[in-house]
Amino acid sequence: MADGATPANSAQGSGETRREFLYLTAGAMTVVGAAGALWPMIDSMNPSADVLALSSTEVDLAPIEEGQSVTITWRGKPVFIRRRTGAEINTAEETPLADLPDPQPDADRVEKPEWLILVGVCTHLGCVPLGQKTGESRGEFGGWFCPCHGSHYDTSGRIRKGPAPKNLEVPPYVFLTDSSIKIG
Amino acid sequence: MSFKSNNKVVQWVEDRLPIISVMHHSIYEYPMPKNLNYLWNFGSLAGFALVTMIVTGIILAMQYTAHVDLAFNSVERIMRDVNNGWLIRYIHMNMASFFFIAVYIHMFRGLYYGSYKAPRELLWQLGVVIFLLMMATAFMGYVLPWGQMSFWGATVITNLFSAIPIVGENIVTWLWGGFSVDNPTLNRFFALHYLLPFIIVAVVMLHLIALHTVSSNNPLGIDMKGPQDSLPMQPYYTIKDLFGVGVFLLAFSVFLFWAPNYMGHPDNYIPANPLSTPAHIVPEWYFLPFYAILRAIPDKLGGVLAMFGAIAVLFILPWLDRSPIRSCKFRPVARIFFWVFLLNGLALGYLGGQPAEGWYVIASRVATAYYFFHFLVMMPVILPMIERPRELPSSIHEAVMKS
Amino acid sequence: MKKILSGFFAVSLGCLSLPVFAAGDAVELPEQEWSFDGVFGTYDKASMQRGYQVYKNVCANCHSMDLVSFRNLVDLGYNEDEIKAFAAEYTVEDGPNDEGEMFERAALPSDRFVAPYPNEKAAAAVNNGKAPPDLSLMAKARVGGPDYIYALLTGYEDAPADVEVGNLTYNKYFPGHLISMSAPLFGDDVEYGDGTEATVEQMATDVSHFLMWAAEPKLEARKQTGVKVMIFLIIFTLIMYAAKRKAFAKVH
């Protein structure tokens, strides 16, 4: 805009250049100011301090028995915690990687083989798979089954069949003691 | 308006929707009088304030909860936990006041220079409509934090409508959606507080169309007669408006960063309590003159009528002032009474903030009477009898050259 | 035109300085000096830590502070472990658990300050019918802010002979002078960790400082942002002014 309608009686030489320079600077300052004012507004839509304060959750594992699953909430999403049986661990460990659409050994998906901890969100389109409660379908591979579009997960939470492209996500967690973990 | 561009895309759009030529005409080459003073900055400043209010308001609405149990704490969550929430909320709070400052100066500028006179009557009336909408928006916005002043302000102002004969009580119940100011009231105020600013934008568009049809008035109050009297908008008035924005923001920032609650009221940091009224209920400062007029009349309906009348009289102002001369520069007597009127308005503002007792009541009545006297008697009757206007210059260009 | 302009500006400035709000019948408050006053004001962490101690040991017996979380204490200069320990001193109700029972657990940094009473009615019932107000915003919800809190805490004195106090207490600075809260500070109510002598004035200063932070935790960020914004705006305005002068220089 700075090169716009300058008056016809404009002088020549340095006066003209200085005016152009001032207009350019003025335009630049306006853009910088507007951007600087807009950024705090955009940033305000990022997670707020109270949301971030809840971004880690401590879970006591002691009450969970072998073969049992519990669902807890972490960052507003379900987290599946399953204390796997020996048979489930064996199946998961012995599955050849060639059979997997998203190859990953079971050992890379657990800290301790007994405890499988997963974000309970189907990697297809974000539904919550079935298989946590007794009596729910666990799919063809004994893990989880997503009812939305029929994805089957195995006992390591890996995708085996159906449209989902990836294995169920493992959230970041650490063992605080032998029987308690901190997720996030 | 033939417009040709070398850019094919621009030309393609232009052939189907003449938006580029309209924009080019109205914000680029639009001729403005070349003798505008800094008082003509306040229109663009008001527009700037409106945009700021809408942008910050939309962001705040994303974090605010319109429920009586949650509203107060959701505002405090904005102040404490939301990233930059304190900044955005304080901008919204203080810009509301600065919006009114800009608009009041804009209006008094119009009064002084006769910007409401033919052919600008509709332009002026649209401005009054914007002013009314602003007051409604500001009032409902002040209710949203659900503090003590929010609640009791809402109660008092909505109760004004109970002064209407026969159906008054029904109207108030309807406004509340219940039998007191409560959750339904808060919810509808939030919905309307979000809606009205966009209606204001629409009326501002009409205001601008009217402005560009009749062109800007100027300090001399005489029409532009040719190119020697005018300057194109760009770069002259764009740059001047931006300078105005800089000064405006400097003043604004002093309040925003160092006295953000100066124009607010401490009681609004106490959550609303329907069982306990604060000792002094005072509206926001920009309502005080009208609040003083309301209280000056010792009759409920009369007070309400006077208050609305004080704004209604602005609607018919173009026909009350019968002088053919626009600018007070050439009206030696009208000029004096302009300042008297301005001081009277400030006095009303001061009195509106004082308790309704003692000499304050009498002073409020005198000031209210003068307010109406100025419009209804001074302007149409007395001034034409006693005033002899000065001679107008023959053109803007000539006047500028002389000075 | 200059005259009109300056008239307008004088009037609008004068308008701002008018005492818009009714002063009420409160006594004039003595003004204190605070580190958070002024253009570059910041909070004094040591004073806030002492103030937190006074709040915790004295005020919090009756007053809630619902809007402040333990995690916010990081502003006072405490580290994460200290804050965890502060929080763990309290229990909060959580639940329901899988059996549908509510249960008690130690408070976490993400929890709000724990209120002394379960609700306002309970608070009123044990305090002569008047619930002690929440302190989160006290420093912004009273005219005078921290000056008022300091004045109030140090303003207890014997009632004049002609004043009937009933079950209330006389306070020089409370509007109306008769306050439900009896004098809370007597000197040495707490033992300061940093060895500062816990006089009534010292404790009143510290707790006022703490309450100002509680009411306006973003004050430091606000003032620091303000300085930067002002510097930008001054440059912005000067450039606009120069450009405007240049543009209009040739206009006759």
Side-chain angles (χ1 to χ4, degrees):
Chain A
M1 300 243 289
D3 58 352
T6 45
N9 59 354
S10 61
Q12 292 154 0
S14 66
E16 180 69 6
T17 327
R18 234 182 92 195
R19 174 157 57 204
E20 286 304 311
F21 174 73
L22 271 172
Y23 287 173
L24 271 175
T25 320
M29 286 296 272
T30 310
V31 171
V32 169
L38 216 53
W39 169 246
M41 316 272 164
I42 294 165
D43 185 38
S44 78
M45 291 162 71
N46 276 317
S48 57
D50 55 330
V51 172
L52 292 174
L54 295 175
S55 63
S56 70
T57 308
E58 289 177 23
V59 188
D60 181 17
L61 301 176
I64 306 171
E65 285 161 27
E66 197 174 293
Q68 200 187 0
S69 298
V70 298
T71 307
I72 57 131
T73 315
W74 171 69
R75 293 186 178 173
K77 289 182 287 195
V79 168
F80 295 164
I81 302 175
R82 183 178 287 184
R83 186 168 183 179
R84 298 191 292 186
T85 62
E88 284 173 336
I89 297 170
N90 286 342
T91 332
E93 283 176 350
E94 284 159 17
T95 308
L97 291 187
D99 291 358
L100 300 171
D102 179 15
Q104 200 179 17
D106 185 60
D108 287 2
R109 297 177 55 77
V110 289
E111 293 278 324
K112 296 181 180 179
E114 196 180 6
W115 296 102
L116 177 64
I117 291 145
L118 302 167
V119 175
V121 176
C122 182
T123 56
H124 181 220
L125 291 170
C127 295
V128 178
L130 301 175
Q132 284 292 93
K133 294 189 193 117
T134 45
E136 277 181 2
S137 166
R138 289 189 165 191
E140 290 173 23
F141 299 88
W144 289 267
F145 170 68
C146 182
C148 289
H149 305 92
S151 293
H152 298 257
Y153 296 93
D154 68 9
T155 55
S156 187
R158 294 173 295 199
I159 180 67
R160 300 297 288 273
K161 189 179 166 188
K166 288 203 175 302
N167 303 331
L168 288 177
E169 187 195 338
V170 177
Y173 66 92
V174 288
F175 275 88
L176 298 172
T177 67
D178 272 354
S179 64
S180 74
I181 54 166
K182 182 180 160 194
I183 304 174
Chain B
M1 207 188 288
S2 65
F3 180 88
K4 289 281 166 239
S5 172
N6 294 330
N7 186 317
K8 279 187 180 155
V9 180
V10 169
Q11 194 60 49
W12 187 91
V13 173
E14 179 63 23
D15 290 342
R16 285 151 183 84
L17 178 74
I19 184 148
I20 292 157
S21 57
V22 167
M23 298 278 281
H24 183 84
H25 175 71
S26 58
I27 63 178
Y28 212 86
E29 63 184 19
Y30 175 68
M32 315 249 296
K34 67 177 179 184
N35 59 334
L36 297 186
N37 61 36
Y38 280 111
L39 287 170
W40 264 263
N41 276 58
F42 287 90
S44 69
L45 288 175
F48 175 81
L50 176 62
V51 171
T52 308
M53 292 306 280
I54 289 178
V55 172
T56 52
I58 289 173
I59 297 285
L60 289 172
M62 294 178 188
Q63 311 279 1
Y64 170 78
T65 312
H67 186 284
V68 290
D69 294 335
L70 305 171
F72 188 88
N73 283 3
S74 76
V75 172
E76 278 304 315
R77 185 181 154 268
I78 292 171
M79 295 296 288
R80 288 158 192 273
D81 286 335
V82 173
N83 304 322
N84 314 303
W86 59 270
L87 175 64
I88 300 166
R89 195 239 174 172
Y90 275 153
I91 292 176
H92 201 73
M93 259 172 82
N94 285 282
M95 193 55 93
S97 284
F98 272 72
F99 194 3
F100 273 97
I101 291 173
V103 164
Y104 275 129
I105 297 178
H106 189 62
M107 289 168 75
F108 274 108
R109 186 270 285 157
L111 283 176
Y112 187 88
Y113 294 109
S115 299
Y116 47 85
K117 292 187 190 185
R120 299 187 179 85
E121 302 95 325
L122 272 178
L123 176 61
W124 171 263
Q125 288 181 323
L126 286 165
V128 179
V129 171
I130 294 169
F131 180 53
L132 268 175
L133 287 168
M134 271 177 73
M135 295 209 285
T137 312
F139 160 65
M140 287 190 276
Y142 197 57
V143 176
L144 303 184
W146 208 242
Q148 274 287 67
M149 278 293 162
S150 301
F151 181 87
W152 291 102
T155 301
V156 169
I157 300 299
T158 48
N159 262 316
L160 290 180
F161 293 90
S162 70
I164 299 167
I166 305 166
V167 291
E169 290 295 333
N170 295 329
I171 289 179
V172 174
T173 309
W174 173 77
L175 281 174
W176 289 341
F179 302 100
S180 64
V181 174
D182 208 336
N183 201 45
T185 328
L186 178 60
N187 260 298
R188 63 191 59 181
F189 276 20
F190 180 48
L192 293 172
H193 182 72
Y194 205 124
L195 167 71
L196 286 185
F198 297 97
I199 297 184
I200 293 178
V201 169
V203 184
V204 167
M205 292 292 175
L206 296 178
H207 193 66
L208 289 176
I209 293 172
L211 173 70
H212 285 203
T213 308
V214 298
S215 83
S216 294
N217 188 25
N218 63 76
L220 296 172
I222 55 178
D223 292 327
M224 288 183 282
K225 294 197 175 76
Q228 75 280 8
D229 289 344
S230 74
L231 290 171
M233 174 94 182
Q234 166 74 20
Y236 294 96
Y237 287 107
T238 355
I239 205 83
K240 192 175 177 186
D241 281 349
L242 279 172
F243 170 57
V245 166
V247 175
F248 185 70
L249 282 180
L250 276 170
F252 173 71
S253 295
V254 171
F255 283 90
L256 171 63
F257 293 109
W258 288 281
N261 294 303
Y262 178 79
M263 291 182 281
H265 198 285
D267 277 327
N268 226 27
Y269 282 107
I270 304 171
N273 180 353
L275 302 179
S276 145
T277 311
H280 299 284
I281 304 192
V282 199
E284 291 283 79
W285 68 266
Y286 36 80
F287 292 136
L288 289 174
F290 300 100
Y291 193 60
I293 292 176
L294 169 76
R295 294 191 309 184
I297 313 286
D299 173 71
K300 190 171 175 182
L301 180 59
V304 174
L305 288 178
M307 188 177 74
F308 284 107
I311 297 164
V313 74
L314 297 174
F315 266 101
I316 54 168
L317 174 61
W319 296 276
L320 291 174
D321 183 354
R322 297 183 314 181
S323 166
I325 312 293
R326 293 195 190 106
S327 174
C328 276
K329 216 179 162 95
F330 306 105
R331 301 184 62 191
V333 186
R335 180 161 61 193
I336 294 166
F337 284 101
F338 166 84
W339 289 107
V340 175
F341 175 76
L342 177 60
L343 291 174
N344 185 63
L346 291 174
L348 278 171
Y350 172 75
L351 293 165
Q354 301 306 318
E357 56 195 37
W359 73 271
Y360 293 130
V361 178
I362 298 161
S364 299
R365 287 184 189 156
V366 173
T368 302
Y370 185 78
Y371 182 97
F372 288 103
F373 172 82
H374 179 83
F375 285 118
L376 300 176
V377 182
M378 178 62 72
M379 272 187 166
V381 182
I382 298 180
L383 283 180
M385 287 194 301
I386 60 172
E387 184 173 63
R388 185 174 300 193
R390 298 214 187 107
E391 198 187 336
L392 292 178
S394 62
S395 80
I396 294 173
H397 181 68
E398 183 196 287
V400 171
M401 289 305 277
K402 249 190 226 165
S403 65
Chain C
M1 186 201 87
K2 282 270 156 59
K3 236 164 54 187
I4 300 160
L5 271 181
S6 49
F8 263 103
F9 284 116
V11 163
S12 38
L13 277 179
C15 190
L16 284 174
S17 57
L18 275 179
V20 174
F21 300 109
D25 51 0
V27 189
E28 199 171 311
L29 301 167
E31 271 187 40
Q32 309 299 320
E33 287 204 2
W34 303 104
S35 65
F36 49 78
D37 285 342
V39 175
F40 302 100
T42 53
Y43 286 123
D44 174 353
K45 288 197 167 89
S47 180
M48 284 198 294
Q49 292 197 358
R50 291 194 298 268
Y52 175 55
Q53 204 181 337
V54 176
Y55 161 76
K56 211 166 83 167
N57 292 310
V58 183
C59 315
N61 291 323
C62 302
H63 289 276
S64 60
M65 202 175 213
D66 290 341
L67 297 172
V68 182
S69 302
F70 292 106
R71 64 184 158 84
N72 298 134
L73 291 174
V74 74
D75 293 359
L76 271 57
Y78 292 115
N79 64 35
E80 210 175 310
D81 291 329
E82 287 171 308
I83 291 170
K84 261 190 178 168
F86 283 135
E89 292 171 26
Y90 299 86
T91 54
V92 291
E93 192 178 51
D94 202 344
N97 60 16
D98 293 345
E99 284 75 46
E101 309 280 334
M102 302 303 281
F103 57 92
E104 302 241 304
R105 60 162 173 81
L108 296 169
S110 56
D111 285 312
R112 304 293 180 93
F113 278 12
V114 179
Y117 304 107
N119 54 58
E120 203 184 316
K121 291 258 156 94
V126 292
N127 286 290
N128 289 326
K130 173 85 177 65
D134 188 86
L135 294 183
S136 315
L137 285 164
M138 194 49 75
K140 285 202 296 194
R142 297 289 182 276
V143 176
D147 287 342
Y148 169 77
I149 296 171
Y150 176 85
L152 186 89
L153 290 175
T154 54
Y156 286 91
E157 56 184 33
D158 292 332
D162 56 334
V163 176
E164 188 69 48
V165 292
N167 60 357
L168 303 172
T169 313
Y170 187 85
N171 188 305
K172 200 160 112 189
Y173 296 110
F174 187 69
H177 299 306
L178 295 179
I179 184 170
S180 305
M181 176 170 77
S182 55
L185 298 174
F186 302 95
D188 294 321
D189 304 72
V190 295
E191 195 177 321
Y192 281 141
D194 60 4
T196 308
E197 197 188 338
T199 60
V200 171
E201 287 75 19
Q202 182 66 43
M203 287 187 291
T205 304
D206 292 338
V207 85
S208 303
H209 207 114
F210 171 72
L211 288 176
M212 182 62 194
W213 165 79
E216 186 77 356
K218 305 295 183 189
L219 176 141
E220 291 182 359
R222 167 155 63 77
K223 294 192 172 182
Q224 282 154 13
T225 312
V227 172
K228 287 180 215 150
V229 170
M230 282 308 244
I231 292 170
F232 174 82
L233 282 176
I234 288 168
I235 299 169
F236 176 91
T237 309
L238 287 175
I239 288 175
M240 293 306 160
Y241 183 66
K244 187 248 157 195
R245 280 289 295 260
K246 199 81 189 158
F248 278 84
K250 298 237 159 52
V251 176
H252 299 293

PDB file of all heavy atoms in Angstrom, chain B residues 356-371:
ATOM      1  N   ALA B 356     -28.119   9.496  45.920  1.00  0.00           N
ATOM      2  CA  ALA B 356     -29.266  10.349  45.614  1.00  0.00           C
ATOM      3  C   ALA B 356     -29.791  10.976  46.900  1.00  0.00           C
ATOM      4  O   ALA B 356     -30.793  10.547  47.475  1.00  0.00           O
ATOM      5  CB  ALA B 356     -30.355   9.542  44.918  1.00  0.00           C
ATOM      6  N   GLU B 357     -29.081  11.982  47.400  1.00  0.00           N
ATOM      7  CA  GLU B 357     -29.510  12.625  48.648  1.00  0.00           C
ATOM      8  C   GLU B 357     -28.989  14.047  48.670  1.00  0.00           C
ATOM      9  O   GLU B 357     -28.071  14.416  47.931  1.00  0.00           O
ATOM     10  CB  GLU B 357     -28.982  11.844  49.853  1.00  0.00           C
ATOM     11  CG  GLU B 357     -27.472  11.683  49.830  1.00  0.00           C
ATOM     12  CD  GLU B 357     -26.966  10.621  50.804  1.00  0.00           C
ATOM     13  OE1 GLU B 357     -27.632   9.581  50.972  1.00  0.00           O
ATOM     14  OE2 GLU B 357     -25.887  10.838  51.375  1.00  0.00           O
ATOM     15  N   GLY B 358     -29.632  14.864  49.516  1.00  0.00           N
ATOM     16  CA  GLY B 358     -29.176  16.232  49.750  1.00  0.00           C
ATOM     17  C   GLY B 358     -29.155  17.071  48.480  1.00  0.00           C
ATOM     18  O   GLY B 358     -30.023  16.937  47.615  1.00  0.00           O
ATOM     19  N   TRP B 359     -28.130  17.908  48.365  1.00  0.00           N
ATOM     20  CA  TRP B 359     -28.072  18.852  47.250  1.00  0.00           C
ATOM     21  C   TRP B 359     -27.816  18.144  45.922  1.00  0.00           C
ATOM     22  O   TRP B 359     -28.077  18.690  44.863  1.00  0.00           O
ATOM     23  CB  TRP B 359     -27.029  19.927  47.513  1.00  0.00           C
ATOM     24  CG  TRP B 359     -25.612  19.450  47.400  1.00  0.00           C
ATOM     25  CD1 TRP B 359     -24.858  18.910  48.397  1.00  0.00           C
ATOM     26  CD2 TRP B 359     -24.791  19.449  46.232  1.00  0.00           C
ATOM     27  NE1 TRP B 359     -23.629  18.567  47.923  1.00  0.00           N
ATOM     28  CE2 TRP B 359     -23.537  18.888  46.603  1.00  0.00           C
ATOM     29  CE3 TRP B 359     -24.985  19.866  44.908  1.00  0.00           C
ATOM     30  CZ2 TRP B 359     -22.499  18.729  45.697  1.00  0.00           C
ATOM     31  CZ3 TRP B 359     -23.940  19.708  44.012  1.00  0.00           C
ATOM     32  CH2 TRP B 359     -22.714  19.148  44.392  1.00  0.00           C
ATOM     33  N   TYR B 360     -27.320  16.907  45.984  1.00  0.00           N
ATOM     34  CA  TYR B 360     -27.097  16.166  44.742  1.00  0.00           C
ATOM     35  C   TYR B 360     -28.389  16.034  43.941  1.00  0.00           C
ATOM     36  O   TYR B 360     -28.396  16.078  42.718  1.00  0.00           O
ATOM     37  CB  TYR B 360     -26.553  14.768  45.041  1.00  0.00           C
ATOM     38  CG  TYR B 360     -25.175  14.746  45.637  1.00  0.00           C
ATOM     39  CD1 TYR B 360     -24.905  14.012  46.785  1.00  0.00           C
ATOM     40  CD2 TYR B 360     -24.138  15.445  45.031  1.00  0.00           C
ATOM     41  CE1 TYR B 360     -23.625  13.977  47.332  1.00  0.00           C
ATOM     42  CE2 TYR B 360     -22.866  15.424  45.566  1.00  0.00           C
ATOM     43  CZ  TYR B 360     -22.604  14.690  46.727  1.00  0.00           C
ATOM     44  OH  TYR B 360     -21.347  14.662  47.251  1.00  0.00           O
ATOM     45  N   VAL B 361     -29.506  15.818  44.681  1.00  0.00           N
ATOM     46  CA  VAL B 361     -30.787  15.620  44.011  1.00  0.00           C
ATOM     47  C   VAL B 361     -31.186  16.901  43.278  1.00  0.00           C
ATOM     48  O   VAL B 361     -31.563  16.882  42.104  1.00  0.00           O
ATOM     49  CB  VAL B 361     -31.869  15.220  45.036  1.00  0.00           C
ATOM     50  CG1 VAL B 361     -33.214  15.064  44.345  1.00  0.00           C
ATOM     51  CG2 VAL B 361     -31.457  13.947  45.758  1.00  0.00           C
ATOM     52  N   ILE B 362     -31.036  18.008  43.979  1.00  0.00           N
ATOM     53  CA  ILE B 362     -31.435  19.291  43.376  1.00  0.00           C
ATOM     54  C   ILE B 362     -30.548  19.588  42.164  1.00  0.00           C
ATOM     55  O   ILE B 362     -31.029  19.962  41.085  1.00  0.00           O
ATOM     56  CB  ILE B 362     -31.329  20.415  44.432  1.00  0.00           C
ATOM     57  CG1 ILE B 362     -32.293  20.089  45.575  1.00  0.00           C
ATOM     58  CG2 ILE B 362     -31.649  21.762  43.813  1.00  0.00           C
ATOM     59  CD1 ILE B 362     -32.018  20.802  46.861  1.00  0.00           C
ATOM     60  N   ALA B 363     -29.250  19.381  42.348  1.00  0.00           N
ATOM     61  CA  ALA B 363     -28.319  19.633  41.242  1.00  0.00           C
ATOM     62  C   ALA B 363     -28.659  18.742  40.047  1.00  0.00           C
ATOM     63  O   ALA B 363     -28.638  19.193  38.892  1.00  0.00           O
ATOM     64  CB  ALA B 363     -26.888  19.384  41.705  1.00  0.00           C
ATOM     65  N   SER B 364     -28.999  17.474  40.314  1.00  0.00           N
ATOM     66  CA  SER B 364     -29.358  16.568  39.224  1.00  0.00           C
ATOM     67  C   SER B 364     -30.575  17.093  38.468  1.00  0.00           C
ATOM     68  O   SER B 364     -30.647  17.011  37.247  1.00  0.00           O
ATOM     69  CB  SER B 364     -29.714  15.183  39.766  1.00  0.00           C
ATOM     70  OG  SER B 364     -28.628  14.621  40.424  1.00  0.00           O
ATOM     71  N   ARG B 365     -31.525  17.627  39.224  1.00  0.00           N
ATOM     72  CA  ARG B 365     -32.743  18.128  38.551  1.00  0.00           C
ATOM     73  C   ARG B 365     -32.422  19.331  37.676  1.00  0.00           C
ATOM     74  O   ARG B 365     -32.906  19.440  36.548  1.00  0.00           O
ATOM     75  CB  ARG B 365     -33.787  18.494  39.605  1.00  0.00           C
ATOM     76  CG  ARG B 365     -34.370  17.238  40.203  1.00  0.00           C
ATOM     77  CD  ARG B 365     -35.473  17.493  41.172  1.00  0.00           C
ATOM     78  NE  ARG B 365     -35.779  16.215  41.809  1.00  0.00           N
ATOM     79  CZ  ARG B 365     -36.335  16.074  42.986  1.00  0.00           C
ATOM     80  NH1 ARG B 365     -36.691  17.142  43.689  1.00  0.00           N
ATOM     81  NH2 ARG B 365     -36.566  14.882  43.470  1.00  0.00           N
ATOM     82  N   VAL B 366     -31.607  20.226  38.195  1.00  0.00           N
ATOM     83  CA  VAL B 366     -31.244  21.409  37.417  1.00  0.00           C
ATOM     84  C   VAL B 366     -30.511  20.971  36.137  1.00  0.00           C
ATOM     85  O   VAL B 366     -30.831  21.407  35.027  1.00  0.00           O
ATOM     86  CB  VAL B 366     -30.349  22.356  38.253  1.00  0.00           C
ATOM     87  CG1 VAL B 366     -29.824  23.490  37.386  1.00  0.00           C
ATOM     88  CG2 VAL B 366     -31.141  22.895  39.438  1.00  0.00           C
ATOM     89  N   ALA B 367     -29.549  20.052  36.297  1.00  0.00           N
ATOM     90  CA  ALA B 367     -28.754  19.623  35.147  1.00  0.00           C
ATOM     91  C   ALA B 367     -29.628  18.889  34.134  1.00  0.00           C
ATOM     92  O   ALA B 367     -29.457  19.054  32.921  1.00  0.00           O
ATOM     93  CB  ALA B 367     -27.598  18.740  35.613  1.00  0.00           C
ATOM     94  N   THR B 368     -30.562  18.064  34.619  1.00  0.00           N
ATOM     95  CA  THR B 368     -31.468  17.359  33.718  1.00  0.00           C
ATOM     96  C   THR B 368     -32.325  18.358  32.946  1.00  0.00           C
ATOM     97  O   THR B 368     -32.495  18.255  31.728  1.00  0.00           O
ATOM     98  CB  THR B 368     -32.367  16.400  34.515  1.00  0.00           C
ATOM     99  OG1 THR B 368     -31.542  15.484  35.219  1.00  0.00           O
ATOM    100  CG2 THR B 368     -33.313  15.644  33.599  1.00  0.00           C
ATOM    101  N   ALA B 369     -32.859  19.330  33.685  1.00  0.00           N
ATOM    102  CA  ALA B 369     -33.696  20.340  33.033  1.00  0.00           C
ATOM    103  C   ALA B 369     -32.888  21.064  31.962  1.00  0.00           C
ATOM    104  O   ALA B 369     -33.372  21.296  30.850  1.00  0.00           O
ATOM    105  CB  ALA B 369     -34.216  21.328  34.072  1.00  0.00           C
ATOM    106  N   TYR B 370     -31.617  21.379  32.281  1.00  0.00           N
ATOM    107  CA  TYR B 370     -30.818  22.092  31.303  1.00  0.00           C
ATOM    108  C   TYR B 370     -30.552  21.238  30.065  1.00  0.00           C
ATOM    109  O   TYR B 370     -30.534  21.748  28.939  1.00  0.00           O
ATOM    110  CB  TYR B 370     -29.490  22.583  31.900  1.00  0.00           C
ATOM    111  CG  TYR B 370     -28.759  23.417  30.874  1.00  0.00           C
ATOM    112  CD1 TYR B 370     -29.137  24.739  30.634  1.00  0.00           C
ATOM    113  CD2 TYR B 370     -27.774  22.866  30.061  1.00  0.00           C
ATOM    114  CE1 TYR B 370     -28.544  25.486  29.642  1.00  0.00           C
ATOM    115  CE2 TYR B 370     -27.172  23.597  29.051  1.00  0.00           C
ATOM    116  CZ  TYR B 370     -27.566  24.913  28.856  1.00  0.00           C
ATOM    117  OH  TYR B 370     -26.996  25.651  27.862  1.00  0.00           O
ATOM    118  N   TYR B 371     -30.349  19.950  30.287  1.00  0.00           N
ATOM    119  CA  TYR B 371     -30.098  19.038  29.167  1.00  0.00           C
ATOM    120  C   TYR B 371     -31.210  19.162  28.133  1.00  0.00           C
ATOM    121  O   TYR B 371     -30.964  19.337  26.937  1.00  0.00           O
ATOM    122  CB  TYR B 371     -30.014  17.600  29.699  1.00  0.00           C
ATOM    123  CG  TYR B 371     -29.698  16.551  28.646  1.00  0.00           C
ATOM    124  CD1 TYR B 371     -28.405  16.096  28.453  1.00  0.00           C
ATOM    125  CD2 TYR B 371     -30.712  16.003  27.847  1.00  0.00           C
ATOM    126  CE1 TYR B 371     -28.112  15.132  27.504  1.00  0.00           C
ATOM    127  CE2 TYR B 371     -30.431  15.033  26.891  1.00  0.00           C
ATOM    128  CZ  TYR B 371     -29.130  14.608  26.718  1.00  0.00           C
ATOM    129  OH  TYR B 371     -28.843  13.656  25.779  1.00  0.00           O
TER     130      TYR B 371
END
